[in-house]
Amino acid sequence: MQIKLFAIPVADSGIAQQEMNDFLKAHKILEIEQQLTSNDNGSCWCFCVRYLDQAVKVVS
């Protein structure tokens, strides 16, 4: 199992969201944890994605 972290600002133009969506489409996702955080620089969504490094492929 691998872990990848994403921080997407609330005011994101869509680039960071697209990067995360592309990653999710390309990997076997096991779990996603999310939390909205805020600091002096603004607010962002933080995602912890747990995934398998290589998806299992079934050959028929």
Side-chain angles (χ1 to χ4, degrees):
M1 179 175 64
Q2 303 287 319
I3 294 175
K4 179 147 177 88
L5 302 175
F6 293 93
I8 301 177
V10 171
D12 177 49
S13 65
I15 294 172
Q17 291 177 44
Q18 188 61 49
E19 178 185 337
M20 181 174 164
N21 286 331
D22 290 344
F23 178 87
L24 295 175
K25 289 177 193 175
H27 294 85
K28 173 68 175 170
I29 306 303
L30 301 175
E31 181 180 12
I32 300 175
E33 294 179 34
Q34 64 189 32
Q35 184 172 351
L36 181 63
T37 62
S38 188
N39 61 26
D40 293 339
N41 297 325
S43 298
C44 71
W45 281 102
C46 296
F47 296 90
C48 177
V49 180
R50 290 182 176 88
Y51 67 99
L52 292 179
D53 194 28
Q54 295 187 356
V56 176
K57 295 182 181 182
V58 177
V59 178
S60 58

